Amino acid sequence: MAKCVMVLYPDPIDGYPPRYARDGIPVIKCYPDGSSLPTPSAIDFKPGEMLGCVSGALGLRKFFEDNGHELVVTSDKDGPDSEFERELPDAEIVISQPFWPAYITRERFAKAPRLRLALTAGIGSDHVDLDEARARGVTVAEETYSNSISVAEHTVMQILALVRNFVPSHRWVIDGGWNIADCVECAYDLEGMDVGVIAAGRIGRAVLERLRPFGVHLHYFDVHRLPADVEKDLNVVYHRDVESLARSVDVVSIHSPLIAQTHHMFDEKLLGSMRRGSYLVNTARAEQTDQRAIVAALQSGQLAGYAGDVWYPQPPPSDHPWRSMPNNAMTPHVSGTTLSAQARYAAGTREILEDWFAGKPIRSEYLIVEGGRFAGTGAKSYAH
């Protein structure tokens, strides 16, 4: 029998299950690159149900019970007295989501001698100390591509929200006003702007593809350059470094993984090199920006707007400066946890668990760390 500790975000305020707006979700047959969706032997949920909260339990309660394993599900994850930390010492598996991450630090690894699998339900495993996972032989896995398009759609929405000044305009309506001049004094067309993407992987490339019909001039930077035919098809300009891209565009969208080279990448110097009145969107990881520098750039007008749904820490404290900074269109970390995405990453989590318990190889694209080294997607995204 194995023990799994699952850390998920709290249930809806009005209770679980919620009243769903739709009766189901469209059936997606494969990912855009032709790769298959998760293929577990079965699922114990209806696609479109809320699975990412505590009561949803990723649809896995029956799976653990039927196989004689112990499952603890909690949202209490921070601090030495949290339920997560109390349950950690004899846990063999930890599952959490990027939206409500169970931070597995070096100190927590030391308290979890039996831990063998750290599983991210979704994309992004930087809440796990990957160096420590390698040193201890702990496998780290995630469901690559499961919510990439979800994040790409959210990114395009936030770009438009900033450029069109949507949030303040909506607020005037809610507050009973009709102040058109106040709404449009900071509203522009996206058409004709230079838009740059940092990292053109699955999410970044999907953003480029979705922005192409808007009549913008596309740019990108990536350590792995796209094939020439793809660049031609997208009509996108390649930049050899982030600095070149940042000073050449009106809108920057960040999609790179959080590694040493990208930590606080957008600092005062880089922000100062951008065109005055630029927009910055970050649906990757908050620590790729300098928190104080973002606030200062918005206050000075160097940035016309900042949007994203990634914060540090997560959840952020009530007095976090990004909650009150001017010209922001922030959301909680929701871009990758739509009900559509939950169906995919919950199924992918079960697929990984089935392979893990059966001693079968986990799909290469799901792997971040295995056998003491970066593997699969991890070797491409984190091993720099």
Side-chain angles (χ1 to χ4, degrees), residues 80-365:
D81 296 325
S82 64
E83 185 175 5
F84 172 54
E85 193 135 331
R86 292 195 304 270
E87 298 288 350
L88 193 55
D90 58 347
E92 295 179 42
I93 301 168
V94 170
I95 302 173
S96 75
Q97 303 166 106
F99 331 107
W100 193 266
Y103 293 102
I104 310 180
T105 60
R106 178 177 297 182
E107 293 74 20
R108 280 180 162 167
F109 267 115
K111 297 176 180 178
R114 298 184 62 188
L115 184 60
R116 293 293 175 266
L117 175 64
L119 208 168
T120 302
I123 301 172
S125 297
D126 48 87
H127 56 281
V128 179
D129 187 323
L130 298 178
D131 290 335
E132 193 68 15
R134 287 189 295 161
R136 293 176 176 271
V138 174
T139 297
V140 182
E142 61 183 53
E143 288 83 48
T144 299
Y145 228 151
S146 62
N147 54 7
S148 297
I149 302 306
S150 310
V151 177
E153 290 184 359
H154 194 94
T155 298
V156 174
M157 175 188 73
Q158 290 192 306
I159 290 172
L160 288 169
L162 287 179
V163 175
R164 299 304 297 260
N165 203 36
F166 172 81
V167 174
S169 301
H170 180 64
R171 190 174 297 125
W172 277 114
V173 173
I174 297 301
D175 293 342
W178 194 258
N179 301 50
I180 294 176
D182 295 280
C183 295
V184 303
E185 66 180 357
C186 294
Y188 299 88
D189 290 344
L190 184 62
E191 183 183 21
M193 286 190 176
D194 291 289
V195 181
V197 164
I198 296 176
R202 293 177 176 88
I203 299 174
R205 181 169 168 177
V207 170
L208 292 171
E209 291 170 345
R210 281 153 180 76
L211 287 175
R212 179 173 47 180
F214 281 84
V216 297
H217 306 291
L218 294 173
H219 304 249
Y220 84 102
F221 161 75
D222 199 311
V223 294
H224 305 290
R225 187 166 180 173
L226 293 171
D229 60 326
V230 176
E231 287 186 356
K232 182 178 180 180
D233 180 59
L234 291 171
N235 193 22
V236 61
V237 175
Y238 173 71
H239 292 261
R240 294 186 179 278
D241 52 52
V242 171
E243 291 77 11
S244 170
L245 181 139
R247 63 175 176 263
S248 302
V249 301
D250 304 291
V251 182
V252 175
S253 186
I254 304 172
H255 300 286
S256 43
L258 178 60
I259 56 178
Q261 293 89 330
T262 62
H263 185 264
H264 285 188
M265 172 171 55
F266 276 85
D267 56 12
E268 182 180 3
K269 180 180 178 181
L270 188 58
L271 291 168
S273 73
M274 297 171 69
R275 297 172 180 174
R276 192 190 75 84
S278 295
Y279 305 90
L280 183 58
V281 175
N282 183 6
T283 52
R285 289 296 180 266
E287 286 286 83
Q288 296 194 56
T289 65
D290 182 311
Q291 181 185 116
R292 294 180 180 178
I294 293 294
V295 176
L298 289 170
Q299 291 173 337
S300 71
Q302 176 62 17
L303 281 181
Y306 181 86
D309 72 334
V310 286
W311 305 67
Y312 186 80
Q314 292 191 156
S318 59
D319 61 351
H320 193 291
W322 284 7
R323 291 183 183 270
S324 56
M325 62 187 178
N327 303 320
N328 85 79
M330 296 298 295
T331 55
H333 195 166
V334 296
S335 65
T337 187
T338 61
L339 297 181
S340 306
Q342 288 178 38
R344 294 187 292 272
Y345 68 68
T349 299
R350 175 157 175 168
E351 178 188 338
I352 291 170
L353 289 169
E354 287 180 350
D355 289 342
W356 172 263
F357 286 125
K360 297 179 180 178
I362 295 171
R363 275 204 224 187
S364 175
E365 60 263 38

